[in-house]
Amino acid sequence: MDQKDSKKLNENLFSEFPPISNEEWKQKIDKDLKGADFEKKLVWRTIEGFKTQPYYRSEDIESLATKDSLPGEYPFVRGDKVKQNDWFIRQDIRIEDAKAANKKALDILMRGVDSLGFVLCEKEISKEEFSHLLDGISLESIETNFSGCKEPVKTLGLLSELIAERKENPALIKGAIEFDPMKTYALKGKFDKGMEAAFDTAKQLIEKSKELTVFRSLMVDGSIFHNSGSDISQELAFNLAAGVEYLSKLNNAGIDVAETAKNLKFNFAVGSNYFMEIAKLRAARMLWAKIVKSYGTADEKACQMEIHSVNSSWNKTLFDPYVNMLRTTTEAMSASLAGTNSMTVLPFNAVYEQPTDFSERIARNQQLLLKEESHFNKVVDPAAGSYYIETLTDQIAESAWKLFLEVEDKGGYLAALKEGFIQACIKETANTRDHNIATRRQVILGSNQYPNTTETLQKEVEESILKPMDCSAEDTEIETLKPYRGAIAFEKMRLATEKFTKENYRPKAFMLTMGNLAMRRARAQFSTNFFGCAGFEIIDNNGFKTVDDALEAARAKKANALVICSSDDENAEIAPEIIEKAGSEFLLVLAGYPKALVESLQEKGLKHMIHVKSNVLETLTAFQKELNIID
């Protein structure tokens, strides 16, 4: 078929579908809603404050300047790649012994990794150890990163010496030193050797790495904001503000802005909000390009944001840990489609134990599958033109920019930290997140919804896993950021039941199912998930004909909690009889909230009702206290 015939076919095809206006769509939806409120029923409000519509049309992006952007072109909303969407697959190695670390590095390089992250853990490393560490590794062929350096300038010097000795090409050496005093200040509350020394070190790193033209000396780590509970706009705004602080401070020290920008690598945590995370990285590149350009630099290469992505640890869980694999997979998909330059996929067990060979292998293979089988590395910015993602990109950029300007008005990133502005913003969002988790408005699968009720932990859990990470120095100058996991409160509650079970018995929740089949099953399933979050043994039942039969069965099973599962209409008769005959023998709970019956049932002695608006965490904690599981 030639081009003329193809055009004619398209014209004939689409002539059968006349254009429909946005207003006509809205009228049709309003009709189908039968009087229900469109905003309440169909518009999703994100924690950032965006209103996400149920559908988007071409009109929604007509005014967006970014819709005509091309890959590799300023403002790089579509990334700095042109022909393909490849990224480095990174795995980190903690350095306890240089030779052992080298052996592991050589092994994982043969298994698909092409980016190594050596974590030095603030230890001194000698020239001999450094040589052993990189023995047999071609630095020109992979990306090599160093973090946790006690003496970052010395580490850079050792790297430069090794490159010279091997006669490798400095212009081909990729990676970073990842020196980030801003992160240190936010987590510890002070600079290790003072602010002046920190920025002097940053200046030396830039000056001593001039021959390493694609190697980066500094890191701006925004994952600390995300993992402390921030929303996407805050994570982006504060990350940009930290980057600008480097540009400004080092410019005052005599380093050109373009030179500093080309030495910065940005680290972003990637959460499970699939489309939002894609839009976040697109917005990040665009805003950073405009920031660097505003300094007057003519070097567009300096405007390109180098992005490393790592999975969120905030949403990872101790219970039902294999769900973490699903989380890291969708997060890796978001980061790769958004055009990240490199990526670390966290092993599914990384948040609660030392990763195993198995978990590390799975983490590597997740990225390899995205590349080799799903071909995510073939198409640059496939999200471009999507009405939804382009709109999200614009919304995130606008929201983050507004907050970024607030930080700048306060004197910049460090000044805003000293004032407590950044901490207060993140804390407010974190509190909202915690409340949403407690009430199940935000679901953490396996923890606050659909728990694996048969799961038992095989070993003791370290206390530190159940606390926010507090790295505060004794003489801290500011309130520090404290990364934590959203599931911690539910995990602590369930572990309290596990501890009680070892010393006593496992508390049992008995589903007293009567009446309407559909309603009793629905409410029994709801209650099973509810009590399962606290580690109760669930005793489900097909249904009872009489209250006496139900109570006899509950006594035989030695139930502790009795959950009435029936329809609201039938509860008018069933519930009072159960309350009267059960007395105080059980923790008595009604599944549902029948408004017409609440007052009368409470007068008869019913204390507890569970329903979709319950604060699950508070309610279950109260049940644990009533059953003497906790004090």
Side-chain angles (χ1 to χ4, degrees), residues 318-329:
L318 169 64
F319 287 97
D320 214 353
Y322 292 119
V323 176
N324 290 336
M325 289 187 197
L326 303 180
R327 296 183 178 109
T328 54
T329 298

Side-chain angles (χ1 to χ4, degrees), residues 18 73 98 131 169 215 231 329 365 380 427 453 483 491 500 506 561:
E73 293 185 4
S131 181
N169 185 351
F215 191 83
D231 63 39
T329 298
N365 288 352
V380 175
K427 188 179 293 185
T453 56
E491 291 171 353
F500 178 83
R506 185 171 295 279

Side-chain angles (χ1 to χ4, degrees), residues 305-406:
M305 176 184 266
E306 179 84 6
I307 296 177
H308 177 69
S309 300
V310 62
N311 300 107
S312 164
S313 60
W314 185 88
N315 65 355
K316 303 303 181 289
T317 59
L318 169 64
F319 287 97
D320 214 353
Y322 292 119
V323 176
N324 290 336
M325 289 187 197
L326 303 180
R327 296 183 178 109
T328 54
T329 298
T330 64
E331 291 160 4
M333 290 168 68
S334 293
S336 58
L337 292 176
T340 191
N341 300 101
S342 59
M343 189 187 337
T344 300
V345 169
L346 290 179
F348 70 88
N349 56 346
V351 295
Y352 61 85
E353 67 180 4
Q354 189 67 29
T356 60
D357 289 342
F358 171 73
S359 65
E360 289 182 338
R361 175 181 171 230
I362 293 295
R364 287 192 301 269
N365 288 352
Q366 283 172 281
Q367 293 196 62
L368 290 171
L369 285 169
L370 292 181
K371 280 191 179 187
E372 305 301 332
E373 295 193 22
S374 301
H375 305 299
F376 277 36
N377 60 334
K378 301 299 183 185
V379 180
V380 175
D381 192 26
S386 161
Y387 306 148
Y388 179 38
I389 295 179
E390 291 288 7
T391 302
L392 279 179
T393 302
D394 183 67
Q395 287 178 318
I396 292 170
E398 184 179 349
S399 176
W401 186 250
K402 181 180 178 182
L403 184 56
F404 166 77
L405 292 179
E406 283 189 64

Side-chain angles (χ1 to χ4, degrees), residues 216-447:
R216 309 252 167 174
S217 303
L218 307 173
M219 172 70 88
V220 186
D221 191 352
S223 68
I224 59 172
F225 310 123
H226 175 105
N227 290 325
S228 296
S230 77
D231 63 39
I232 278 176
S233 297
Q234 290 168 345
E235 178 191 0
L236 179 50
F238 300 147
N239 219 13
L240 292 173
V244 167
E245 194 82 40
Y246 280 116
L247 298 183
S248 177
K249 288 280 194 298
L250 291 170
N251 191 35
N252 292 338
I255 303 293
D256 182 68
V257 165
E259 195 65 30
T260 300
K262 285 191 282 190
N263 272 277
L264 289 176
K265 176 187 280 191
F266 287 81
N267 187 37
F268 284 98
V270 183
S272 296
N273 199 333
Y274 187 71
F275 295 111
M276 291 276 282
E277 292 292 350
I278 294 173
K280 177 181 76 178
L281 297 191
R282 299 176 88 245
R285 285 193 298 263
M286 178 176 67
L287 292 180
W288 181 247
K290 292 183 176 181
I291 286 171
V292 176
K293 189 102 170 178
S294 71
Y295 280 87
T297 179
D299 185 353
E300 288 200 348
K301 186 76 174 175
C303 298
Q304 296 176 1
M305 176 184 266
E306 179 84 6
I307 296 177
H308 177 69
S309 300
V310 62
N311 300 107
S312 164
S313 60
W314 185 88
N315 65 355
K316 303 303 181 289
T317 59
L318 169 64
F319 287 97
D320 214 353
Y322 292 119
V323 176
N324 290 336
M325 289 187 197
L326 303 180
R327 296 183 178 109
T328 54
T329 298
T330 64
E331 291 160 4
M333 290 168 68
S334 293
S336 58
L337 292 176
T340 191
N341 300 101
S342 59
M343 189 187 337
T344 300
V345 169
L346 290 179
F348 70 88
N349 56 346
V351 295
Y352 61 85
E353 67 180 4
Q354 189 67 29
T356 60
D357 289 342
F358 171 73
S359 65
E360 289 182 338
R361 175 181 171 230
I362 293 295
R364 287 192 301 269
N365 288 352
Q366 283 172 281
Q367 293 196 62
L368 290 171
L369 285 169
L370 292 181
K371 280 191 179 187
E372 305 301 332
E373 295 193 22
S374 301
H375 305 299
F376 277 36
N377 60 334
K378 301 299 183 185
V379 180
V380 175
D381 192 26
S386 161
Y387 306 148
Y388 179 38
I389 295 179
E390 291 288 7
T391 302
L392 279 179
T393 302
D394 183 67
Q395 287 178 318
I396 292 170
E398 184 179 349
S399 176
W401 186 250
K402 181 180 178 182
L403 184 56
F404 166 77
L405 292 179
E406 283 189 64
V407 173
E408 291 303 293
D409 286 343
K410 294 180 180 296
Y413 177 75
L414 290 177
L417 272 176
K418 289 176 182 177
E419 184 184 318
F421 174 75
I422 290 174
Q423 299 91 318
C425 287
I426 294 175
K427 188 179 293 185
E428 182 179 357
T429 302
N431 288 339
T432 300
R433 286 188 183 281
D434 292 342
H435 178 73
N436 289 347
I437 292 168
T439 56
R440 297 209 286 210
R441 292 178 186 175
Q442 180 170 351
V443 171
I444 299 182
L445 193 65
S447 294

